[in-house]
Amino acid sequence: GGGRAPEPKAPKPSASQKPTWESESDAEIGPRCAKLLEEFSSFSGDLPGADAENYWTDDELRQYFFSNGYIAPPPKSRPKTKSIRPHDPVLLPHYRVLGLEPGAERESIRRAYRQLALRHHPDKTQSSPHAVASEVTFKAATEAYEALQQAGAA
């Protein structure tokens, strides 16, 4: 006949075999995962990484353990940690545009930008004889503030 042989099944773990997570040290398991491991004592999947403890919601963790590790949330981007180097030569012109010294406090940067933006906003200066110069100043201030924000200084 044309019948196919049945596919071999994976062997079931015996009662003496420990789940993967029991062989790992408890220090690697966060408190939320440890609590769920107690609740889902038959869990035999792979433990989620450290990101799970830090970035997954309680519902996402519960679903992961309930599904035996099959349903994991999509990867989330970690919060970006940028080192703030106020004296970085790339940032110096941006501080100058805002009239500040390198390394100024976040609040000072925000205040300087807001003052320049209000004073030189195109809607406020459109009928002024200095409208073009004010628009250039406004754009430069906005660009400087955005650059300092991206660098983590503002």
Side-chain angles (χ1 to χ4, degrees), residues 14-23:
S14 68
S16 64
Q17 287 180 317
K18 288 185 173 184
T20 313
W21 58 267
E22 285 186 14
S23 61

Side-chain angles (χ1 to χ4, degrees), residues 42-120:
S42 63
F43 179 81
S44 61
D46 292 331
L47 276 179
D51 285 354
E53 188 73 32
N54 298 326
Y55 301 112
W56 291 7
T57 66
D58 288 341
D59 288 338
E60 290 170 335
L61 272 174
R62 176 171 291 288
Q63 186 171 18
Y64 182 82
F65 284 101
F66 178 79
S67 71
N68 213 21
Y70 286 104
I71 302 175
K76 296 179 181 172
S77 62
R78 293 182 177 183
K80 293 184 173 121
T81 55
K82 293 186 177 184
S83 60
I84 300 171
R85 292 170 292 172
H87 300 287
D88 187 337
V90 175
L91 298 179
L92 293 177
H94 300 299
Y95 282 108
R96 283 193 205 110
V97 166
L98 296 176
L100 298 169
E101 291 294 318
E105 296 287 323
R106 290 176 189 263
E107 186 58 32
S108 299
I109 294 169
R110 189 182 73 80
R111 192 178 312 117
Y113 166 69
R114 286 178 55 90
Q115 286 175 351
L116 281 171
L118 286 171
R119 188 177 315 130
H120 297 283

